[in-house]
Amino acid sequence: HVSIGGLGDSFYEYLLKAWLMSDKTDEDAKKMYYDAVQAIETHLIRKSSGGLTYIAEWKGGLLEHKMGHLTCFAGGMFALGADGAPGDKTGHHIELGAEIARTCHESYDRTRMKLGPEAFRFDGGVEAIATRQNEKYYILRPEVIETYMYMWRLTHDPKYREWGWEAVEALEKHCRVDGGYSGIRDVYINHENHDDVQQSFFLSETLKYLYLLFSEDDLLPFEHWVFNTEAHPLPILHKDDENKEENQK
């Protein structure tokens, strides 16, 4: 079972971020990341008949045309890794990030609550819609917001802030309860069926990425900080800083 969502997402993300944290000196991580992206494009990325780019999963030798909410982080990853892409592919990686962001936005927009399901499919005549009951829930996940934030910072296309604000309004309307915020059991029905759980990643990731989406670029700027897979900011180890430390010794 090969997935860029659950069970595999952080591995690919950390190949890129190990390279970025090293101030782009870790050539092994760089090569592994771009080789992985090439393999993802070859084996997993497909385009629907309606023109939506998605990342499928590989199961038992067959391609399953399903994309998980967790996989939506990859739009931001592709865009973040665009600067440095081999073979003049920087623009291609940015475009790939933008296409994944659009697909994930569609997964939100095609629900009644404007909040994305846990997984959505591209088969049986449907596109970017959850078809199984056990995939129709939303548990305050951050991955789509995360990609909006990266795409905004890297392109400044206003649609990413517009899409982010749509999510804010949906969260306030459907998820806010007396004690905080709750997940939703089915995002396709008219009435809220809360699961009465506020996941810890809602505070550490979803709200943080929303805050950064509407902040200035000099707040935790990308040239100095890398966010790990749980949105904790880690400093980039600049070569100049290392030289200063050596001189001080």
Side-chain angles (χ1 to χ4, degrees), residues 4 10 18 27 30 32 48 58 68 77 86-87 89 122 142 148 153 163-164 167-168 187 194 220 233-234 237 249:
I4 312 303
S10 301
E27 291 296 324
K30 177 183 180 181
M32 290 171 71
S48 71
W58 187 264
M77 179 181 75
K89 285 192 172 182
F122 296 84
Y148 293 166
R153 282 273 182 109
W163 292 352
V168 169
V187 293
H194 293 122
L220 296 172
L234 301 172
L237 306 173
K249 288 177 184 175

PDB file of all heavy atoms in Angstrom, residues 4 10 18 27 30 32 48 58 68 77 86-87 89 122 142 148 153 163-164 167-168 187 194 220 233-234 237 249:
ATOM      1  N   ILE A   4       0.655   8.869  -0.348  1.00  0.00           N
ATOM      2  CA  ILE A   4       1.286  10.140   0.031  1.00  0.00           C
ATOM      3  C   ILE A   4       0.486  10.763   1.170  1.00  0.00           C
ATOM      4  O   ILE A   4       0.808  11.829   1.672  1.00  0.00           O
ATOM      5  CB  ILE A   4       1.380  11.101  -1.180  1.00  0.00           C
ATOM      6  CG1 ILE A   4       1.950  10.353  -2.390  1.00  0.00           C
ATOM      7  CG2 ILE A   4       2.274  12.306  -0.871  1.00  0.00           C
ATOM      8  CD1 ILE A   4       3.307   9.713  -2.131  1.00  0.00           C
ATOM      9  N   SER A  10       4.754  11.995   5.902  1.00  0.00           N
ATOM     10  CA  SER A  10       5.853  12.712   6.554  1.00  0.00           C
ATOM     11  C   SER A  10       7.218  12.359   5.968  1.00  0.00           C
ATOM     12  O   SER A  10       8.130  13.183   5.969  1.00  0.00           O
ATOM     13  CB  SER A  10       5.862  12.429   8.061  1.00  0.00           C
ATOM     14  OG  SER A  10       4.634  12.832   8.634  1.00  0.00           O
ATOM     15  N   ALA A  18      14.628  18.281   5.296  1.00  0.00           N
ATOM     16  CA  ALA A  18      16.002  18.033   5.742  1.00  0.00           C
ATOM     17  C   ALA A  18      16.968  18.830   4.874  1.00  0.00           C
ATOM     18  O   ALA A  18      17.948  19.406   5.364  1.00  0.00           O
ATOM     19  CB  ALA A  18      16.324  16.542   5.670  1.00  0.00           C
ATOM     20  N   GLU A  27      22.862  17.167   0.083  1.00  0.00           N
ATOM     21  CA  GLU A  27      22.596  16.764  -1.288  1.00  0.00           C
ATOM     22  C   GLU A  27      21.883  15.414  -1.375  1.00  0.00           C
ATOM     23  O   GLU A  27      21.123  15.170  -2.315  1.00  0.00           O
ATOM     24  CB  GLU A  27      23.911  16.711  -2.081  1.00  0.00           C
ATOM     25  CG  GLU A  27      24.538  18.077  -2.317  1.00  0.00           C
ATOM     26  CD  GLU A  27      23.670  18.985  -3.188  1.00  0.00           C
ATOM     27  OE1 GLU A  27      23.006  18.476  -4.116  1.00  0.00           O
ATOM     28  OE2 GLU A  27      23.642  20.204  -2.922  1.00  0.00           O
ATOM     29  N   LYS A  30      18.219  16.093  -0.883  1.00  0.00           N
ATOM     30  CA  LYS A  30      17.715  16.779  -2.084  1.00  0.00           C
ATOM     31  C   LYS A  30      17.443  15.782  -3.208  1.00  0.00           C
ATOM     32  O   LYS A  30      16.357  15.785  -3.812  1.00  0.00           O
ATOM     33  CB  LYS A  30      18.723  17.828  -2.547  1.00  0.00           C
ATOM     34  CG  LYS A  30      18.323  18.538  -3.835  1.00  0.00           C
ATOM     35  CD  LYS A  30      19.397  19.511  -4.288  1.00  0.00           C
ATOM     36  CE  LYS A  30      18.984  20.215  -5.581  1.00  0.00           C
ATOM     37  NZ  LYS A  30      20.028  21.152  -6.061  1.00  0.00           N
ATOM     38  N   MET A  32      17.007  12.513  -3.029  1.00  0.00           N
ATOM     39  CA  MET A  32      15.929  11.593  -2.666  1.00  0.00           C
ATOM     40  C   MET A  32      14.568  12.248  -2.821  1.00  0.00           C
ATOM     41  O   MET A  32      13.602  11.621  -3.274  1.00  0.00           O
ATOM     42  CB  MET A  32      16.124  11.097  -1.230  1.00  0.00           C
ATOM     43  CG  MET A  32      17.301  10.147  -1.062  1.00  0.00           C
ATOM     44  SD  MET A  32      17.653   9.781   0.674  1.00  0.00           S
ATOM     45  CE  MET A  32      16.255   8.744   1.082  1.00  0.00           C
ATOM     46  N   SER A  48      -8.411  13.970 -13.612  1.00  0.00           N
ATOM     47  CA  SER A  48      -9.770  13.475 -13.831  1.00  0.00           C
ATOM     48  C   SER A  48     -10.308  13.991 -15.163  1.00  0.00           C
ATOM     49  O   SER A  48      -9.751  14.915 -15.767  1.00  0.00           O
ATOM     50  CB  SER A  48     -10.684  13.930 -12.691  1.00  0.00           C
ATOM     51  OG  SER A  48     -10.923  15.336 -12.801  1.00  0.00           O
ATOM     52  N   TRP A  58      -1.671   3.440  -4.311  1.00  0.00           N
ATOM     53  CA  TRP A  58      -1.309   2.174  -4.945  1.00  0.00           C
ATOM     54  C   TRP A  58      -1.555   1.058  -3.954  1.00  0.00           C
ATOM     55  O   TRP A  58      -0.966   1.025  -2.889  1.00  0.00           O
ATOM     56  CB  TRP A  58       0.165   2.236  -5.336  1.00  0.00           C
ATOM     57  CG  TRP A  58       0.649   1.086  -6.146  1.00  0.00           C
ATOM     58  CD1 TRP A  58       1.282  -0.032  -5.676  1.00  0.00           C
ATOM     59  CD2 TRP A  58       0.577   0.931  -7.555  1.00  0.00           C
ATOM     60  NE1 TRP A  58       1.600  -0.867  -6.710  1.00  0.00           N
ATOM     61  CE2 TRP A  58       1.178  -0.312  -7.882  1.00  0.00           C
ATOM     62  CE3 TRP A  58       0.053   1.707  -8.587  1.00  0.00           C
ATOM     63  CZ2 TRP A  58       1.272  -0.777  -9.191  1.00  0.00           C
ATOM     64  CZ3 TRP A  58       0.146   1.246  -9.883  1.00  0.00           C
ATOM     65  CH2 TRP A  58       0.753   0.014 -10.180  1.00  0.00           C
ATOM     66  N   GLY A  68      -6.791  11.185   0.055  1.00  0.00           N
ATOM     67  CA  GLY A  68      -7.148  11.497   1.436  1.00  0.00           C
ATOM     68  C   GLY A  68      -6.928  12.958   1.762  1.00  0.00           C
ATOM     69  O   GLY A  68      -6.117  13.642   1.127  1.00  0.00           O
ATOM     70  N   MET A  77       3.872  21.195  -0.272  1.00  0.00           N
ATOM     71  CA  MET A  77       5.196  20.598  -0.379  1.00  0.00           C
ATOM     72  C   MET A  77       5.787  20.808  -1.775  1.00  0.00           C
ATOM     73  O   MET A  77       6.947  21.207  -1.912  1.00  0.00           O
ATOM     74  CB  MET A  77       5.117  19.099  -0.066  1.00  0.00           C
ATOM     75  CG  MET A  77       6.458  18.377  -0.189  1.00  0.00           C
ATOM     76  SD  MET A  77       6.351  16.595   0.157  1.00  0.00           S
ATOM     77  CE  MET A  77       5.555  16.009  -1.356  1.00  0.00           C
ATOM     78  N   PRO A  86      15.244  20.276 -10.315  1.00  0.00           N
ATOM     79  CA  PRO A  86      16.192  20.078 -11.422  1.00  0.00           C
ATOM     80  C   PRO A  86      15.544  20.276 -12.783  1.00  0.00           C
ATOM     81  O   PRO A  86      14.319  20.193 -12.928  1.00  0.00           O
ATOM     82  CB  PRO A  86      16.625  18.618 -11.235  1.00  0.00           C
ATOM     83  CG  PRO A  86      15.488  17.974 -10.513  1.00  0.00           C
ATOM     84  CD  PRO A  86      14.908  19.031  -9.629  1.00  0.00           C
ATOM     85  N   GLY A  87      16.376  20.560 -13.771  1.00  0.00           N
ATOM     86  CA  GLY A  87      15.910  20.630 -15.149  1.00  0.00           C
ATOM     87  C   GLY A  87      14.915  21.732 -15.430  1.00  0.00           C
ATOM     88  O   GLY A  87      13.965  21.537 -16.192  1.00  0.00           O
ATOM     89  N   LYS A  89      12.495  22.864 -13.754  1.00  0.00           N
ATOM     90  CA  LYS A  89      11.126  22.438 -13.454  1.00  0.00           C
ATOM     91  C   LYS A  89      10.483  23.252 -12.338  1.00  0.00           C
ATOM     92  O   LYS A  89       9.454  22.847 -11.800  1.00  0.00           O
ATOM     93  CB  LYS A  89      11.107  20.954 -13.088  1.00  0.00           C
ATOM     94  CG  LYS A  89      11.270  20.030 -14.296  1.00  0.00           C
ATOM     95  CD  LYS A  89      10.965  18.594 -13.926  1.00  0.00           C
ATOM     96  CE  LYS A  89      10.922  17.706 -15.156  1.00  0.00           C
ATOM     97  NZ  LYS A  89      10.589  16.308 -14.807  1.00  0.00           N
ATOM     98  N   PHE A 122     -12.405   9.608  -7.197  1.00  0.00           N
ATOM     99  CA  PHE A 122     -12.501   9.975  -8.602  1.00  0.00           C
ATOM    100  C   PHE A 122     -12.839   8.716  -9.396  1.00  0.00           C
ATOM    101  O   PHE A 122     -12.049   8.231 -10.201  1.00  0.00           O
ATOM    102  CB  PHE A 122     -11.178  10.572  -9.091  1.00  0.00           C
ATOM    103  CG  PHE A 122     -10.813  11.858  -8.407  1.00  0.00           C
ATOM    104  CD1 PHE A 122     -10.154  11.836  -7.186  1.00  0.00           C
ATOM    105  CD2 PHE A 122     -11.131  13.083  -8.957  1.00  0.00           C
ATOM    106  CE1 PHE A 122      -9.808  13.022  -6.539  1.00  0.00           C
ATOM    107  CE2 PHE A 122     -10.803  14.265  -8.323  1.00  0.00           C
ATOM    108  CZ  PHE A 122     -10.146  14.234  -7.107  1.00  0.00           C
ATOM    109  N   PRO A 142      -5.737  20.022   9.255  1.00  0.00           N
ATOM    110  CA  PRO A 142      -5.092  21.244   8.772  1.00  0.00           C
ATOM    111  C   PRO A 142      -4.539  21.195   7.350  1.00  0.00           C
ATOM    112  O   PRO A 142      -4.130  22.219   6.820  1.00  0.00           O
ATOM    113  CB  PRO A 142      -3.905  21.376   9.736  1.00  0.00           C
ATOM    114  CG  PRO A 142      -3.521  19.943  10.006  1.00  0.00           C
ATOM    115  CD  PRO A 142      -4.828  19.174  10.037  1.00  0.00           C
ATOM    116  N   TYR A 148      -2.867  26.032   1.404  1.00  0.00           N
ATOM    117  CA  TYR A 148      -3.242  27.425   1.093  1.00  0.00           C
ATOM    118  C   TYR A 148      -2.168  28.382   1.589  1.00  0.00           C
ATOM    119  O   TYR A 148      -1.799  29.348   0.899  1.00  0.00           O
ATOM    120  CB  TYR A 148      -4.565  27.811   1.773  1.00  0.00           C
ATOM    121  CG  TYR A 148      -5.805  27.107   1.277  1.00  0.00           C
ATOM    122  CD1 TYR A 148      -6.990  27.178   2.019  1.00  0.00           C
ATOM    123  CD2 TYR A 148      -5.830  26.388   0.094  1.00  0.00           C
ATOM    124  CE1 TYR A 148      -8.145  26.552   1.591  1.00  0.00           C
ATOM    125  CE2 TYR A 148      -6.986  25.756  -0.333  1.00  0.00           C
ATOM    126  CZ  TYR A 148      -8.145  25.846   0.427  1.00  0.00           C
ATOM    127  OH  TYR A 148      -9.304  25.233   0.018  1.00  0.00           O
ATOM    128  N   ARG A 153       2.060  32.278   0.417  1.00  0.00           N
ATOM    129  CA  ARG A 153       3.396  32.835   0.676  1.00  0.00           C
ATOM    130  C   ARG A 153       4.268  32.811  -0.588  1.00  0.00           C
ATOM    131  O   ARG A 153       5.096  33.693  -0.791  1.00  0.00           O
ATOM    132  CB  ARG A 153       4.087  32.026   1.778  1.00  0.00           C
ATOM    133  CG  ARG A 153       3.613  32.336   3.201  1.00  0.00           C
ATOM    134  CD  ARG A 153       4.392  33.501   3.807  1.00  0.00           C
ATOM    135  NE  ARG A 153       3.997  33.786   5.174  1.00  0.00           N
ATOM    136  CZ  ARG A 153       4.755  33.538   6.240  1.00  0.00           C
ATOM    137  NH1 ARG A 153       5.937  32.943   6.108  1.00  0.00           N
ATOM    138  NH2 ARG A 153       4.331  33.853   7.448  1.00  0.00           N
ATOM    139  N   TRP A 163      -9.997  31.363  -0.190  1.00  0.00           N
ATOM    140  CA  TRP A 163     -10.356  29.982   0.151  1.00  0.00           C
ATOM    141  C   TRP A 163     -10.160  29.731   1.641  1.00  0.00           C
ATOM    142  O   TRP A 163     -10.966  29.035   2.272  1.00  0.00           O
ATOM    143  CB  TRP A 163      -9.510  29.010  -0.659  1.00  0.00           C
ATOM    144  CG  TRP A 163      -9.813  29.014  -2.127  1.00  0.00           C
ATOM    145  CD1 TRP A 163     -10.846  29.658  -2.753  1.00  0.00           C
ATOM    146  CD2 TRP A 163      -9.075  28.337  -3.166  1.00  0.00           C
ATOM    147  NE1 TRP A 163     -10.787  29.427  -4.106  1.00  0.00           N
ATOM    148  CE2 TRP A 163      -9.720  28.628  -4.394  1.00  0.00           C
ATOM    149  CE3 TRP A 163      -7.940  27.537  -3.166  1.00  0.00           C
ATOM    150  CZ2 TRP A 163      -9.263  28.116  -5.615  1.00  0.00           C
ATOM    151  CZ3 TRP A 163      -7.481  27.029  -4.375  1.00  0.00           C
ATOM    152  CH2 TRP A 163      -8.125  27.310  -5.580  1.00  0.00           C
ATOM    153  N   GLY A 164      -9.102  30.302   2.209  1.00  0.00           N
ATOM    154  CA  GLY A 164      -8.866  30.165   3.639  1.00  0.00           C
ATOM    155  C   GLY A 164      -9.984  30.777   4.456  1.00  0.00           C
ATOM    156  O   GLY A 164     -10.412  30.218   5.478  1.00  0.00           O
ATOM    157  N   ALA A 167     -12.999  28.653   4.660  1.00  0.00           N
ATOM    158  CA  ALA A 167     -12.843  27.606   5.676  1.00  0.00           C
ATOM    159  C   ALA A 167     -13.086  28.163   7.075  1.00  0.00           C
ATOM    160  O   ALA A 167     -13.710  27.502   7.912  1.00  0.00           O
ATOM    161  CB  ALA A 167     -11.450  26.984   5.580  1.00  0.00           C
ATOM    162  N   VAL A 168     -12.594  29.379   7.331  1.00  0.00           N
ATOM    163  CA  VAL A 168     -12.831  30.014   8.632  1.00  0.00           C
ATOM    164  C   VAL A 168     -14.331  30.153   8.890  1.00  0.00           C
ATOM    165  O   VAL A 168     -14.837  29.806   9.973  1.00  0.00           O
ATOM    166  CB  VAL A 168     -12.152  31.403   8.703  1.00  0.00           C
ATOM    167  CG1 VAL A 168     -12.630  32.173   9.937  1.00  0.00           C
ATOM    168  CG2 VAL A 168     -10.633  31.254   8.722  1.00  0.00           C
ATOM    169  N   VAL A 187     -20.121  15.725   6.374  1.00  0.00           N
ATOM    170  CA  VAL A 187     -20.088  17.105   5.855  1.00  0.00           C
ATOM    171  C   VAL A 187     -21.047  17.310   4.692  1.00  0.00           C
ATOM    172  O   VAL A 187     -21.143  18.408   4.153  1.00  0.00           O
ATOM    173  CB  VAL A 187     -18.657  17.495   5.416  1.00  0.00           C
ATOM    174  CG1 VAL A 187     -17.733  17.584   6.612  1.00  0.00           C
ATOM    175  CG2 VAL A 187     -18.105  16.525   4.366  1.00  0.00           C
ATOM    176  N   HIS A 194     -22.057  16.580  15.485  1.00  0.00           N
ATOM    177  CA  HIS A 194     -20.723  16.744  16.052  1.00  0.00           C
ATOM    178  C   HIS A 194     -20.200  15.444  16.654  1.00  0.00           C
ATOM    179  O   HIS A 194     -20.963  14.653  17.204  1.00  0.00           O
ATOM    180  CB  HIS A 194     -20.746  17.831  17.140  1.00  0.00           C
ATOM    181  CG  HIS A 194     -21.023  19.196  16.604  1.00  0.00           C
ATOM    182  ND1 HIS A 194     -22.085  19.959  17.029  1.00  0.00           N
ATOM    183  CD2 HIS A 194     -20.379  19.937  15.674  1.00  0.00           C
ATOM    184  CE1 HIS A 194     -22.084  21.123  16.383  1.00  0.00           C
ATOM    185  NE2 HIS A 194     -21.052  21.129  15.552  1.00  0.00           N
ATOM    186  N   LEU A 220       7.773  34.480  10.924  1.00  0.00           N
ATOM    187  CA  LEU A 220       8.324  33.151  10.654  1.00  0.00           C
ATOM    188  C   LEU A 220       8.619  32.988   9.151  1.00  0.00           C
ATOM    189  O   LEU A 220       8.043  32.125   8.485  1.00  0.00           O
ATOM    190  CB  LEU A 220       7.379  32.057  11.147  1.00  0.00           C
ATOM    191  CG  LEU A 220       7.159  32.012  12.655  1.00  0.00           C
ATOM    192  CD1 LEU A 220       6.060  31.019  13.021  1.00  0.00           C
ATOM    193  CD2 LEU A 220       8.453  31.623  13.385  1.00  0.00           C
ATOM    194  N   PRO A 233       7.877  25.232  14.261  1.00  0.00           N
ATOM    195  CA  PRO A 233       8.926  25.914  13.490  1.00  0.00           C
ATOM    196  C   PRO A 233      10.324  25.540  13.979  1.00  0.00           C
ATOM    197  O   PRO A 233      10.616  25.611  15.171  1.00  0.00           O
ATOM    198  CB  PRO A 233       8.628  27.402  13.731  1.00  0.00           C
ATOM    199  CG  PRO A 233       7.903  27.444  15.041  1.00  0.00           C
ATOM    200  CD  PRO A 233       7.155  26.148  15.162  1.00  0.00           C
ATOM    201  N   LEU A 234      11.150  25.109  13.044  1.00  0.00           N
ATOM    202  CA  LEU A 234      12.535  24.745  13.339  1.00  0.00           C
ATOM    203  C   LEU A 234      13.459  25.662  12.539  1.00  0.00           C
ATOM    204  O   LEU A 234      13.199  25.943  11.366  1.00  0.00           O
ATOM    205  CB  LEU A 234      12.803  23.285  12.969  1.00  0.00           C
ATOM    206  CG  LEU A 234      11.921  22.250  13.679  1.00  0.00           C
ATOM    207  CD1 LEU A 234      12.153  20.867  13.093  1.00  0.00           C
ATOM    208  CD2 LEU A 234      12.192  22.247  15.170  1.00  0.00           C
ATOM    209  N   LEU A 237      19.610  25.991   9.520  1.00  0.00           N
ATOM    210  CA  LEU A 237      20.985  26.067  10.023  1.00  0.00           C
ATOM    211  C   LEU A 237      21.862  26.728   8.969  1.00  0.00           C
ATOM    212  O   LEU A 237      22.508  26.054   8.156  1.00  0.00           O
ATOM    213  CB  LEU A 237      21.489  24.664  10.352  1.00  0.00           C
ATOM    214  CG  LEU A 237      20.587  23.871  11.322  1.00  0.00           C
ATOM    215  CD1 LEU A 237      21.060  22.441  11.460  1.00  0.00           C
ATOM    216  CD2 LEU A 237      20.536  24.560  12.676  1.00  0.00           C
ATOM    217  N   LYS A 249      34.406  30.400  19.049  1.00  0.00           N
ATOM    218  CA  LYS A 249      35.126  29.409  19.863  1.00  0.00           C
ATOM    219  C   LYS A 249      36.622  29.729  19.913  1.00  0.00           C
ATOM    220  O   LYS A 249      37.305  29.478  20.864  1.00  0.00           O
ATOM    221  CB  LYS A 249      34.924  28.015  19.287  1.00  0.00           C
ATOM    222  CG  LYS A 249      33.501  27.472  19.503  1.00  0.00           C
ATOM    223  CD  LYS A 249      33.363  26.122  18.841  1.00  0.00           C
ATOM    224  CE  LYS A 249      31.920  25.610  18.971  1.00  0.00           C
ATOM    225  NZ  LYS A 249      31.742  24.346  18.237  1.00  0.00           N
TER     226      LYS A 249
END
